[in-house]
Amino acid sequence: MRQAKYFGKFEEYSEAIGYVRVSTSKQGRSGLGLEAQREAISQFAERECITIIECFEEVETGKGWDALDRRPVLREALAKAKQRQCPIIVSKLDRLSRDVHFISGLMAQRVPFMVAELGADTDPFLLHLFAALAEKERALISQRTKDALARKIAAGVPLGNRTNLAEAQRLGAAANIRAARQFSATVAPVIEQLRRSGTGTLSGIASGLERLGIRTARGGTWTPMQVKRVMAYAEQNDLA
């Protein structure tokens, strides 16, 4: 039986509902991603001495604040969890949604959620924080892509012409500096949270960012050196 704190009080849970989701019908037919999610939930529940009484499976988008209206299986899982007074377990936070407002709406349902990769002690406040950081990161990546394309078009650069790469890099230098500052301001609080939780090494922080599903500024995986650079940049620019 697992004891966890939700909504300001401690509750003990011996059972839970599992929820897995993919966003395309092709993935649903192939089972791509679903089996890995079920395995992550199963391993987490076993470690926490929790019995999964039912696992709900859905093929639907997670986009938009109103995504719950388009996800009948999740609504069914919520109803079941309320009936059994138990939490819902997902493998990763983005299996619920990539939208912070949607996550806030789920918290209002008063059904506890456990995220396998974040651990059983992650309370609603931290779930909100992680969702907000992930949403901000995606917005920055999307905006940088749009800005880069707009600059190339405005400068008359033929898209796909690598002979103009140097000119495109020159035009994008100032925007890249702004993007680096924004990205560091987004990630620095997470790094600080990991340090306060006892993660003292650069390798440990890199692993923690990976577990949270946070990508580097270029969408890659974290290394100790990249963590060190973000920390140094944040300190130099008073972003920590």
Side-chain angles (χ1 to χ4, degrees), residues 187-203:
V187 177
V190 183
I191 292 177
E192 182 62 24
Q193 178 67 32
L194 289 170
R195 293 176 64 184
R196 290 180 179 178
S197 67
T199 306
T201 66
L202 295 175
S203 295

Side-chain angles (χ1 to χ4, degrees), residues 79-93:
K80 185 76 170 184
K82 286 181 179 180
Q83 177 189 0
R84 299 296 292 263
Q85 296 185 339
C86 68
I88 292 177
I89 300 178
V90 294
S91 60
K92 296 183 177 182
L93 186 59

